Structures are given as C-alpha cells and as structure tokens.
Amino acid sequence: MPKLGMEEIRRRQLIEATIASIHEVGLADSSLSRISARAGVSTGIVHHYFEDKAELLESTLRTLGTSLRHSVARRLGAARTPAQRLMAVVDGNIGADQFTPEGVSAWLAFWAQVPTHPRLARVQNVIISRLHDNLLHALRLLGRADAEEIASVTEALIDGLWLRAALSADGPDPARARRLVLDYLNTRLGLTLG
C-alpha cells in the first residue's frame, strides 16, 4: 500500500472531522471553524486543502460514496453465485461498516442538500445508480423478469431504513435492517437468502 502524503492525511482528517461534526451538530452548524477545531487544525489549513465549505462537503460525500463502493466491491469479490451477489450488494449497503450513527447522520444531511446543490446531486446520482445497477445485475443473473421492480423496491427499502435510522433515537441496527430486507427478498424471490 502506498505511503500517504501529508495532503492526503490532512484531507482525510478534515473529512472525518466533517462527518463527526455533522453527526454532533448537523450540517447547518458544521462551520469551517467547528470542523477545523474538531480536526485540531486552524481554519487556514482547511482553506489550504479545500477551496470552500462546498468543496469540503462534496469531498466528504465522495469519500462516503467511495467507502460504500469498496464495501460492496469487497463483498462482490467473494460472491460465487447470483444469490451471493445480491446479498453482497445488500450487506455492503446496510452492513455494520457503513450503517453507523455517524454515517447515517452524514447521509441524511447530504440527501437534504441534494435538491439545491448540483455538485452534491451529481455525486448522489452516481451512488444511487450504482446501487440500482448492482441490484439489477444480481437479479437478472437470478433470471428474474421482474428484476427492475424488485431492484426499485429493494433500493427504496434500503434508503428507508437509512432514513428511519437517522430519525431514531436508537440509531442504526444493521442486523435488523438486514432481516427486513431479507424478509422482502425471500418472500418476493421464493428463496432462502442469507
């Protein structure tokens, strides 16, 4: 693995501080001064690595999307059957490595910004398309003529679980979320997944 330079280390540090700040106080109150203090650096350092808050937020959303993509890809790499591929996509999206209180807070904050921030909307559209394409591919490998409909409902279920987790005082419960998605897929597909 290549050694990270200071720029990459600082950018990652600031992105992690942004996620933590959004979780603690929300997006509106996550000022650059709060984020820089959380990261233990000056506001000038933030401006050295990011043009403005919009660029920092876009980079944060891209980082979340990359983490999600890697989570799914890692699981897909181990999948040997179409059913395993389907579960890799599900588990990559609601597994304990992604479905965390901080992650849920950040995603919800970004989802709320998408309608009025074209840069965030572009990133979110890629993330949404990737989920759809991965589900659709796995379902088509299972020979489902209704793959499009099942993929759409599964996406809505996953997104709804993220939303409910953000609004819940208890936060995300990956095991429960997985059971709910499995219940739908097993019923709809007539299989016993997972």
Side-chain angles (χ1 to χ4, degrees):
M1 185 166 172
K3 188 173 181 177
L4 294 178
M6 184 50 86
E7 179 175 357
E8 185 59 32
I9 291 169
R10 275 291 185 236
R11 289 176 67 86
R12 182 179 297 166
Q13 180 183 21
L14 292 165
I15 287 168
E16 288 171 3
T18 301
I19 293 167
S21 180
I22 290 170
H23 178 65
E24 291 169 2
V25 298
L27 184 61
D29 290 331
S30 290
S31 63
L32 289 181
S33 61
R34 182 182 297 271
I35 292 167
S36 63
R38 181 94 169 75
V41 299
S42 71
T43 305
I45 293 291
V46 178
H47 287 291
H48 179 74
Y49 293 106
F50 298 98
E51 182 179 316
D52 54 18
K53 185 177 177 182
E55 184 184 0
L56 174 58
L57 293 177
E58 181 182 357
S59 294
T60 301
L61 181 56
R62 285 183 186 282
T63 297
L64 289 167
T66 298
S67 177
L68 179 61
R69 186 181 77 229
H70 289 166
S71 178
V72 172
R74 185 177 68 252
R75 289 170 170 90
L76 284 172
R80 299 292 171 247
T81 67
Q84 289 173 349
R85 289 188 66 78
L86 180 59
M87 288 313 304
V89 176
V90 170
D91 288 339
N93 278 272
I94 56 175
D97 58 325
Q98 297 297 313
F99 203 46
T100 65
E102 296 79 11
V104 166
S105 295
W107 280 110
L108 181 63
F110 286 120
W111 283 342
Q113 298 300 309
V114 164
T116 56
H117 291 81
R119 289 167 62 176
L120 296 178
R122 279 192 297 278
V123 175
Q124 187 62 33
N125 285 337
V126 169
I127 295 165
I128 289 169
S129 295
R130 189 177 299 122
L131 172 59
H132 181 77
D133 292 347
N134 283 330
L135 287 169
L136 196 57
H137 180 69
L139 289 162
R140 285 183 175 153
L141 288 174
L142 285 168
R144 298 301 301 212
D146 55 353
E148 185 74 45
E149 182 179 317
I150 296 170
S152 294
V153 173
T154 305
E155 292 164 47
L157 182 54
I158 289 169
D159 287 347
L161 289 165
W162 276 81
L163 176 61
R164 290 293 176 140
L167 300 175
S168 167
D170 297 330
D173 182 347
R176 181 175 182 275
R178 187 177 198 270
R179 277 193 317 274
L180 292 171
V181 176
L182 278 176
D183 284 350
Y184 166 71
L185 289 172
N186 284 332
T187 301
R188 185 64 192 258
L189 299 174
L191 298 172
T192 304
L193 298 170

mmCIF file of all heavy atoms in Angstrom, residues 16-38:
data_model
loop_
_atom_site.group_PDB
_atom_site.id
_atom_site.type_symbol
_atom_site.label_atom_id
_atom_site.label_comp_id
_atom_site.label_asym_id
_atom_site.label_seq_id
_atom_site.Cartn_x
_atom_site.Cartn_y
_atom_site.Cartn_z
ATOM 1 N N GLU A 16 -13.076 13.384 7.961
ATOM 2 C CA GLU A 16 -13.546 12.671 9.153
ATOM 3 C C GLU A 16 -14.101 13.646 10.186
ATOM 4 O O GLU A 16 -15.122 13.361 10.828
ATOM 5 C CB GLU A 16 -12.417 11.832 9.749
ATOM 6 C CG GLU A 16 -12.079 10.624 8.899
ATOM 7 C CD GLU A 16 -10.822 9.886 9.353
ATOM 8 O OE1 GLU A 16 -10.212 10.275 10.376
ATOM 9 O OE2 GLU A 16 -10.453 8.910 8.669
ATOM 10 N N ALA A 17 -13.471 14.800 10.324
ATOM 11 C CA ALA A 17 -13.976 15.822 11.251
ATOM 12 C C ALA A 17 -15.320 16.369 10.771
ATOM 13 O O ALA A 17 -16.200 16.676 11.582
ATOM 14 C CB ALA A 17 -12.954 16.952 11.402
ATOM 15 N N THR A 18 -15.493 16.471 9.464
ATOM 16 C CA THR A 18 -16.759 16.941 8.903
ATOM 17 C C THR A 18 -17.873 15.952 9.220
ATOM 18 O O THR A 18 -18.961 16.344 9.663
ATOM 19 C CB THR A 18 -16.631 17.148 7.375
ATOM 20 O OG1 THR A 18 -15.597 18.099 7.125
ATOM 21 C CG2 THR A 18 -17.934 17.633 6.776
ATOM 22 N N ILE A 19 -17.620 14.676 9.020
ATOM 23 C CA ILE A 19 -18.617 13.644 9.317
ATOM 24 C C ILE A 19 -18.975 13.676 10.800
ATOM 25 O O ILE A 19 -20.157 13.642 11.167
ATOM 26 C CB ILE A 19 -18.110 12.252 8.891
ATOM 27 C CG1 ILE A 19 -17.994 12.188 7.362
ATOM 28 C CG2 ILE A 19 -19.027 11.146 9.417
ATOM 29 C CD1 ILE A 19 -17.229 10.984 6.842
ATOM 30 N N ALA A 20 -17.968 13.768 11.655
ATOM 31 C CA ALA A 20 -18.211 13.808 13.101
ATOM 32 C C ALA A 20 -19.004 15.054 13.491
ATOM 33 O O ALA A 20 -19.924 14.986 14.319
ATOM 34 C CB ALA A 20 -16.888 13.760 13.861
ATOM 35 N N SER A 21 -18.670 16.188 12.898
ATOM 36 C CA SER A 21 -19.373 17.432 13.209
ATOM 37 C C SER A 21 -20.830 17.364 12.766
ATOM 38 O O SER A 21 -21.732 17.778 13.509
ATOM 39 C CB SER A 21 -18.665 18.611 12.540
ATOM 40 O OG SER A 21 -19.339 19.812 12.825
ATOM 41 N N ILE A 22 -21.075 16.837 11.574
ATOM 42 C CA ILE A 22 -22.453 16.703 11.091
ATOM 43 C C ILE A 22 -23.244 15.821 12.057
ATOM 44 O O ILE A 22 -24.389 16.112 12.385
ATOM 45 C CB ILE A 22 -22.479 16.137 9.661
ATOM 46 C CG1 ILE A 22 -21.944 17.182 8.670
ATOM 47 C CG2 ILE A 22 -23.892 15.709 9.270
ATOM 48 C CD1 ILE A 22 -21.700 16.647 7.271
ATOM 49 N N HIS A 23 -22.630 14.761 12.525
ATOM 50 C CA HIS A 23 -23.313 13.864 13.465
ATOM 51 C C HIS A 23 -23.611 14.574 14.783
ATOM 52 O O HIS A 23 -24.682 14.397 15.358
ATOM 53 C CB HIS A 23 -22.467 12.611 13.717
ATOM 54 C CG HIS A 23 -23.067 11.670 14.704
ATOM 55 N ND1 HIS A 23 -24.247 11.008 14.468
ATOM 56 C CD2 HIS A 23 -22.664 11.282 15.935
ATOM 57 C CE1 HIS A 23 -24.545 10.257 15.509
ATOM 58 N NE2 HIS A 23 -23.592 10.410 16.415
ATOM 59 N N GLU A 24 -22.676 15.388 15.240
ATOM 60 C CA GLU A 24 -22.831 16.062 16.536
ATOM 61 C C GLU A 24 -23.803 17.230 16.501
ATOM 62 O O GLU A 24 -24.621 17.384 17.408
ATOM 63 C CB GLU A 24 -21.469 16.560 17.023
ATOM 64 C CG GLU A 24 -20.524 15.456 17.412
ATOM 65 C CD GLU A 24 -19.103 15.951 17.631
ATOM 66 O OE1 GLU A 24 -18.837 17.163 17.517
ATOM 67 O OE2 GLU A 24 -18.239 15.101 17.912
ATOM 68 N N VAL A 25 -23.697 18.086 15.466
ATOM 69 C CA VAL A 25 -24.475 19.333 15.476
ATOM 70 C C VAL A 25 -25.284 19.576 14.209
ATOM 71 O O VAL A 25 -25.957 20.595 14.093
ATOM 72 C CB VAL A 25 -23.557 20.556 15.744
ATOM 73 C CG1 VAL A 25 -22.896 20.442 17.102
ATOM 74 C CG2 VAL A 25 -22.534 20.741 14.637
ATOM 75 N N GLY A 26 -25.223 18.680 13.254
ATOM 76 C CA GLY A 26 -25.947 18.871 12.000
ATOM 77 C C GLY A 26 -25.129 19.641 10.984
ATOM 78 O O GLY A 26 -24.117 20.273 11.314
ATOM 79 N N LEU A 27 -25.585 19.614 9.760
ATOM 80 C CA LEU A 27 -24.853 20.265 8.673
ATOM 81 C C LEU A 27 -24.848 21.783 8.809
ATOM 82 O O LEU A 27 -23.818 22.424 8.629
ATOM 83 C CB LEU A 27 -25.448 19.853 7.320
ATOM 84 C CG LEU A 27 -24.734 20.376 6.087
ATOM 85 C CD1 LEU A 27 -23.302 19.869 6.030
ATOM 86 C CD2 LEU A 27 -25.479 19.971 4.825
ATOM 87 N N ALA A 28 -25.977 22.350 9.160
ATOM 88 C CA ALA A 28 -26.077 23.816 9.238
ATOM 89 C C ALA A 28 -25.092 24.403 10.247
ATOM 90 O O ALA A 28 -24.525 25.474 10.013
ATOM 91 C CB ALA A 28 -27.498 24.228 9.592
ATOM 92 N N ASP A 29 -24.883 23.720 11.353
ATOM 93 C CA ASP A 29 -23.978 24.236 12.391
ATOM 94 C C ASP A 29 -22.551 23.717 12.252
ATOM 95 O O ASP A 29 -21.697 24.029 13.093
ATOM 96 C CB ASP A 29 -24.520 23.893 13.776
ATOM 97 C CG ASP A 29 -25.766 24.694 14.111
ATOM 98 O OD1 ASP A 29 -25.902 25.825 13.599
ATOM 99 O OD2 ASP A 29 -26.604 24.189 14.870
ATOM 100 N N SER A 30 -22.294 22.963 11.216
ATOM 101 C CA SER A 30 -20.928 22.464 10.985
ATOM 102 C C SER A 30 -20.142 23.495 10.185
ATOM 103 O O SER A 30 -19.917 23.352 8.989
ATOM 104 C CB SER A 30 -20.968 21.117 10.249
ATOM 105 O OG SER A 30 -21.452 20.120 11.096
ATOM 106 N N SER A 31 -19.739 24.537 10.863
ATOM 107 C CA SER A 31 -18.972 25.607 10.225
ATOM 108 C C SER A 31 -17.535 25.145 10.003
ATOM 109 O O SER A 31 -17.071 24.168 10.616
ATOM 110 C CB SER A 31 -18.976 26.843 11.128
ATOM 111 O OG SER A 31 -18.315 26.536 12.353
ATOM 112 N N LEU A 32 -16.830 25.860 9.160
ATOM 113 C CA LEU A 32 -15.425 25.526 8.934
ATOM 114 C C LEU A 32 -14.615 25.678 10.215
ATOM 115 O O LEU A 32 -13.695 24.891 10.467
ATOM 116 C CB LEU A 32 -14.837 26.388 7.821
ATOM 117 C CG LEU A 32 -15.334 26.067 6.409
ATOM 118 C CD1 LEU A 32 -14.653 26.985 5.397
ATOM 119 C CD2 LEU A 32 -15.113 24.619 6.048
ATOM 120 N N SER A 33 -14.971 26.646 11.054
ATOM 121 C CA SER A 33 -14.223 26.806 12.304
ATOM 122 C C SER A 33 -14.489 25.628 13.245
ATOM 123 O O SER A 33 -13.576 25.135 13.910
ATOM 124 C CB SER A 33 -14.555 28.134 12.984
ATOM 125 O OG SER A 33 -15.912 28.214 13.308
ATOM 126 N N ARG A 34 -15.714 25.128 13.288
ATOM 127 C CA ARG A 34 -16.036 23.968 14.129
ATOM 128 C C ARG A 34 -15.329 22.715 13.598
ATOM 129 O O ARG A 34 -14.771 21.931 14.352
ATOM 130 C CB ARG A 34 -17.534 23.735 14.181
ATOM 131 C CG ARG A 34 -17.921 22.552 15.088
ATOM 132 C CD ARG A 34 -19.421 22.302 15.088
ATOM 133 N NE ARG A 34 -20.179 23.408 15.617
ATOM 134 C CZ ARG A 34 -20.500 23.579 16.901
ATOM 135 N NH1 ARG A 34 -20.106 22.715 17.802
ATOM 136 N NH2 ARG A 34 -21.198 24.621 17.281
ATOM 137 N N ILE A 35 -15.357 22.555 12.284
ATOM 138 C CA ILE A 35 -14.711 21.386 11.662
ATOM 139 C C ILE A 35 -13.206 21.430 11.891
ATOM 140 O O ILE A 35 -12.591 20.425 12.263
ATOM 141 C CB ILE A 35 -15.062 21.312 10.160
ATOM 142 C CG1 ILE A 35 -16.553 20.976 9.991
ATOM 143 C CG2 ILE A 35 -14.180 20.284 9.451
ATOM 144 C CD1 ILE A 35 -17.085 21.187 8.587
ATOM 145 N N SER A 36 -12.602 22.600 11.691
ATOM 146 C CA SER A 36 -11.151 22.702 11.876
ATOM 147 C C SER A 36 -10.776 22.454 13.338
ATOM 148 O O SER A 36 -9.789 21.767 13.618
ATOM 149 C CB SER A 36 -10.618 24.057 11.396
ATOM 150 O OG SER A 36 -11.170 25.116 12.149
ATOM 151 N N ALA A 37 -11.581 22.972 14.274
ATOM 152 C CA ALA A 37 -11.306 22.728 15.699
ATOM 153 C C ALA A 37 -11.426 21.240 16.010
ATOM 154 O O ALA A 37 -10.599 20.682 16.745
ATOM 155 C CB ALA A 37 -12.272 23.529 16.565
ATOM 156 N N ARG A 38 -12.427 20.600 15.434
ATOM 157 C CA ARG A 38 -12.622 19.152 15.650
ATOM 158 C C ARG A 38 -11.419 18.376 15.117
ATOM 159 O O ARG A 38 -11.014 17.370 15.695
ATOM 160 C CB ARG A 38 -13.902 18.707 14.927
ATOM 161 C CG ARG A 38 -14.244 17.247 15.092
ATOM 162 C CD ARG A 38 -15.203 17.104 16.250
ATOM 163 N NE ARG A 38 -15.822 15.827 16.385
ATOM 164 C CZ ARG A 38 -15.223 14.731 16.843
ATOM 165 N NH1 ARG A 38 -13.969 14.722 17.134
ATOM 166 N NH2 ARG A 38 -15.912 13.614 17.002
#
